[in-house]
Amino acid sequence: KKGDEIIYIGLYLSGVSYDNRATKKDILTRLKRIEGQLRGLQRMVEKVVPCEDILTQVSAAAAAIKKVGGVIVLLWSFR
């Protein structure tokens, strides 16, 4: 299907091995997961959850964003 190009990657980036295929669908799945993390963070702030717990989730969301950014850059470099 057009727009779902498959690119085979054999590199190691940000602690994740991308030996299998990465597609547009995979990237969108990651972004939706990050969106869910951010919504969860909003709820945590609204419920006045301890700062330590919020910061742990902020760190996890930031790492996920960095990883998906790395995948996008890597895919772009193979075009």
Side-chain angles (χ1 to χ4, degrees), residues 21-62:
R21 57 191 181 173
T23 65
K24 180 179 173 181
K25 181 181 176 184
D26 296 328
I27 291 169
L28 290 172
T29 299
R30 287 174 181 264
L31 290 172
K32 287 177 185 178
R33 188 175 307 125
I34 292 166
E35 182 181 19
Q37 284 180 297
L38 296 177
R39 285 194 184 126
L41 272 166
Q42 290 172 340
R43 285 190 300 271
M44 291 174 79
V45 171
E46 288 169 356
K47 293 180 180 179
V48 193
V49 172
C51 288
E52 181 180 318
D53 297 337
I54 293 172
L55 291 175
T56 298
Q57 292 306 313
V58 166
S59 178

Side-chain angles (χ1 to χ4, degrees), residues 54-75:
I54 293 172
L55 291 175
T56 298
Q57 292 306 313
V58 166
S59 178
I65 291 169
K66 285 181 182 179
K67 285 183 184 179
V68 77
V71 170
I72 292 169
V73 168
L74 194 56
L75 290 173

